[in-house]
Amino acid sequence: MKKAYVILIGIFLLTALGIFGLPLFKSQQFHGSVLQEPKLAAEIVLRSAAGPVRLSDYRGRIALLYFGYTSCPDICPASLANLKLALGNLSPEESAQVQVIFVSVDPGRDTPEKLGQYIRLFDDGFIGATGTRDEIDLITSAFNVYYKINPPESNNNDYTVDHSGFITVIDRDGYVIMSWPHGTPPADMSADLRYLLKNGMPISAQILAGPTYTPVVCAVTLAPAHVQGGEWLYQHHCAQCHGADLAGNSAWQTELVDGSHLPPPLNGDGKAWQYSEQDLIRIIKEGRNLEKPIHMPAFKNTLADWEISFVLTYLKSNWDINQRNYQHGFMTLTPQATPTLSATPSPTVTGTLLP
Ligand code: HEC
């Protein structure tokens, strides 16, 4: 009997995967190295021929950062020409939403004016910018860019500069999301750009990076675009019960005759943040709180997996940083040493950050 049950569930899962699995796993294959946790880009304030250049001025567009110098014999011209081709593959509407910024690490020879003339050889829309040596050192270290000015060759004052050749991709919200290695073909960059312009960064690379976190103490980063998308989904599918402000029903702690409860808060006042990611997904998909039936619809046929992830991202944006870190497994829970009779049933997180 039990065995038949297991086989049935197996068949069901396989069918479900067969039917729904395809779109689920057909996620975009990016052509660069994708950051597991997108990182807010450091602010750049540099000078171009047209005036100051601030990276934050390009929020709303995808910014592509490339470091080099105008006397660069081959790598820089090739990369800039490839960027020109990559943008050329996009529609004018799409390419208008992408900003290429070329930062010279050679301010000794590259004045903003010289950079301006140089960059126009590739595209009028590209920006060439530079700063003082100190500013460049700050910026290159913020973006993990390496460079080294070599000593002049014996007979003349010409010198070369070694530098990283990758291109950093910053999304519309100002997050560094990936980098393309030197030599990435233009068509591959166009494909990534087109996808990013249409969909933003897919959840798979970020939230679902899941338990394979690096052993570094860090906070869970929530992509703003996913929070926004999740809020919309929440308001349409969940708010009627859990409240537009996620506060739940004020009598949520009172047990009803069938052992269930009224809709609980999903913000940090409730205990949703104490469930694992898997359990939260299961509750939402099955409309069951683990083994306990609850008066909530199952969303498995209403919401796609990525939509559920977006809703969860939105819920997380309403939890404090400790709750988020705890839920993600970055932090352990230390119950209060002397429990007091308080109105809030949840133990306090007194931050033990895992190494
Ligand atoms: C028809 C009302 C209703 C809708 C719509 C609804 N829920 Fe619920 N939800 C409930 C009830 C009732 C409970 C649990 C009460 C209990 O424990 O018996 C619950 C429990 C939960 C829990 C477990 C929280 C905890 O603290 O145990 C989560 C998470 C949750 N809902 C998320 C969602 C999300 C996300 C949506 C929208 C996609 C949603 N719910 C839509 C009624 C609803």
Side-chain angles (χ1 to χ4, degrees), residues 139-157:
I139 286 154
T140 47
S141 77
F143 287 94
N144 289 323
V145 167
Y146 161 86
Y147 81 93
K148 179 171 157 263
I149 308 229
N150 294 311
E153 275 146 35
S154 47
N155 298 337
N156 51 30
N157 283 330

Side-chain angles (χ1 to χ4, degrees), residues 44-58 61-68 70 80 83 87 98-104 111-130:
I44 280 194
V45 189
L46 293 173
R47 278 164 296 285
S48 74
V53 174
R54 245 171 257 100
L55 198 52
S56 56
D57 289 345
Y58 301 98
R61 284 189 235 178
I62 292 179
L64 306 178
L65 266 190
Y66 179 67
F67 293 77
T70 65
L80 290 168
L83 280 168
L87 265 62
V98 181
Q99 181 62 57
V100 172
I101 303 175
F102 175 59
V103 178
S104 170
T111 59
E113 290 66 36
K114 186 170 174 198
L115 265 169
Q117 284 162 8
Y118 177 79
I119 203 73
R120 271 196 300 280
L121 297 174
F122 298 93
D123 192 297
D124 278 344
F126 288 5
I127 290 173
T130 191

Side-chain angles (χ1 to χ4, degrees), residues 48 67 136 158 160 282 311 338:
S48 74
F67 293 77
I136 287 164
D158 263 7
T160 57
R282 220 179 111 194
V311 173
T338 45

Side-chain angles (χ1 to χ4, degrees), residues 296-337:
M296 166 166 153
F299 284 95
K300 62 175 174 240
N301 297 325
T302 321
L303 295 176
D305 284 20
W306 66 267
E307 290 178 308
I308 291 177
S309 287
F310 272 39
V311 173
L312 283 177
T313 309
Y314 171 62
L315 297 187
K316 289 174 194 180
S317 73
N318 288 278
W319 305 343
D320 71 29
I321 190 112
N322 289 333
Q323 292 171 327
R324 272 188 238 168
N325 275 335
Y326 170 77
Q327 198 273 337
H328 197 79
F330 280 156
M331 202 169 178
T332 54
L333 193 66
T334 314
Q336 275 172 312

Side-chain angles (χ1 to χ4, degrees), residues 237-238 241-242 260-261 264 275 284 289 292 294-296 299:
H237 294 282
C238 326
C241 292
H242 291 282
S260 76
H261 296 82
Y275 292 101
I284 297 165
N289 192 337
K292 187 182 85 165
I294 54 178
H295 300 288
M296 166 166 153
F299 284 95

Side-chain angles (χ1 to χ4, degrees), residues 4 30 36 44 70 89 97 145 153 211 217 224 237 257 277-278 280 329 350 355:
F30 284 104
Q36 286 220 334
I44 280 194
T70 65
N89 291 335
Q97 298 175 62
V145 167
E153 275 146 35
V217 176
H237 294 282
V257 274
E277 190 85 5
Q278 253 180 333
L280 284 172
T350 50

